[in-house]
Amino acid sequence: MLPSVMNPGGPVMLPGVTYADLGLKIIPVHHSGPGNLDGAPTWFNEDGRTSIEDALLLCRSGRGDVIQLLPGHTQNVGVADAWANLGTKTGVMIKGPDWGPPATLTWTAAGSTVLFDAAGFSIDGGPFKNIVLNLEPGTGTVTVAAPITVSAAHCKIARCKIRMGTDASNFVTDGITTTAAGDDLTLAGNVMYAATAATPTSMVKLVGADRVQSVGNYIAGATTAVTGGVLLFATTASLDIFSAYNTFINRKALSQCAVVGFAGVSGVSYEDHFAYLDTASLTPWLTSTG
């Protein structure tokens, strides 16, 4: 008995070998209804959903369930804790399409938020970065204060394109923020960007999160102050940080640094690139270099 491509439930039997059922669910999501897509298998009608919120209702804790966003899926994040259906379910992943147009999620209100508040919750756009996270709406006049907050351990945001500012009227205050409970966070292979006219306070803000792995990210924008950083350590020292192969660019006029540290921060910055606009400054990582 062989599983379908999208639903690996059931044992896989090969000559002399049987792989037991892993028991994970794969839940396809498309705004038009996965079951209505041409060529979709019939089980899409049963397991498919039109939003991440609805798909989270089907997920279970600790089973490695996957919410598979289909090509071209779009949806808005318009309220606080928009994905509250995650609840306490651990190990859930949102996965981007492997081909075709990306899935696009757009935060539309000042108070709209997504909370990574269950351990192991992750979002991965895949090798082609096929998840676009617009953390502000791009139109109107909206400052989204805290679009993403990570407050659980072992979460991951990987291989996404993340817009944090369109213009002087639409931007974030702090794009991705952790609490001290957000230990072992992985940020990998993301492209985070904001227009120069948009001025977040920070694009990533680490508050006491230990053992964060930040690898291969591109983070570029203009901060509110010349001594601000696109990466900001604040409030409580984060320990044992590993930062490698990242690019940090602060495009604020006369910006004096790219990263702002905090006393007591520890860890390693390896093969990172820092850029800022005050040619007299020789301090790419301000306050504490760890």
Side-chain angles (χ1 to χ4, degrees):
M1 180 172 63
L2 294 175
S4 72
V5 173
M6 291 293 289
N7 184 7
V12 178
M13 301 180 67
L14 299 174
V17 179
T18 299
Y19 294 95
D21 185 358
L22 295 177
L24 64 86
K25 288 183 180 180
I26 297 180
I27 306 160
V29 171
H30 193 277
H31 60 268
S32 67
N36 295 321
L37 298 179
D38 291 341
T42 55
W43 63 269
F44 270 37
N45 288 307
E46 297 177 1
D47 292 343
R49 293 295 184 267
T50 57
S51 69
I52 291 170
E53 301 92 284
D54 288 344
L56 284 167
L57 288 172
L58 297 182
C59 292
R60 302 153 302 166
S61 185
R63 301 293 293 274
D65 290 343
V66 175
I67 296 173
Q68 175 65 68
L69 304 183
L70 298 181
H73 170 66
T74 60
Q75 74 173 82
N76 291 336
V77 176
V79 298
D81 195 8
W83 299 346
N85 290 337
L86 174 64
T88 59
K89 301 167 187 173
T90 63
V92 174
M93 171 183 280
I94 298 172
K95 185 178 181 294
D98 290 326
W99 59 87
T104 301
L105 313 178
T106 302
W107 279 244
T108 58
S112 54
T113 63
V114 162
L115 305 182
F116 284 57
D117 54 359
F121 185 49
S122 62
I123 184 166
D124 190 337
F128 301 108
K129 297 180 174 61
N130 263 356
I131 293 179
V132 175
L133 304 177
N134 294 324
L135 301 189
E136 41 76 29
T139 60
T141 304
V142 180
T143 300
V144 183
I148 295 177
T149 298
V150 180
S151 60
H154 298 284
C155 292
K156 179 173 73 172
I157 301 172
R159 301 187 292 183
C160 294
K161 295 178 182 175
I162 307 175
R163 189 184 74 203
M164 299 193 184
T166 299
D167 50 34
S169 299
N170 295 276
F171 55 91
V172 302
T173 302
D174 297 292
I176 298 171
T177 306
T178 76
T179 71
D183 295 338
D184 301 291
L185 169 66
T186 295
L187 299 172
N190 298 292
V191 174
M192 309 181 199
Y193 64 98
T196 303
T199 53
T201 301
S202 70
M203 299 174 75
V204 177
K205 182 179 181 181
L206 301 181
V207 178
D210 299 334
R211 299 176 300 280
V212 172
Q213 301 278 303
S214 177
V215 179
N217 300 288
Y218 172 86
I219 308 175
T223 57
T224 53
V226 296
T227 55
V230 292
L231 170 61
L232 171 65
F233 292 87
T235 309
T236 302
S238 297
L239 306 178
D240 299 310
I241 303 301
F242 181 75
S243 176
Y245 306 111
N246 299 289
T247 297
F248 303 101
I249 302 175
N250 188 349
R251 294 196 174 104
K252 173 75 171 179
L254 298 178
S255 52
Q256 298 174 16
C257 62
V259 176
V260 173
F262 188 82
V265 169
S266 66
V268 174
S269 171
Y270 175 77
E271 296 288 354
D272 286 328
H273 175 71
F274 306 89
Y276 47 96
L277 299 184
D278 185 350
T279 57
S281 174
L282 298 176
T283 311
W285 189 307
L286 188 66
T287 305
S288 171
T289 56

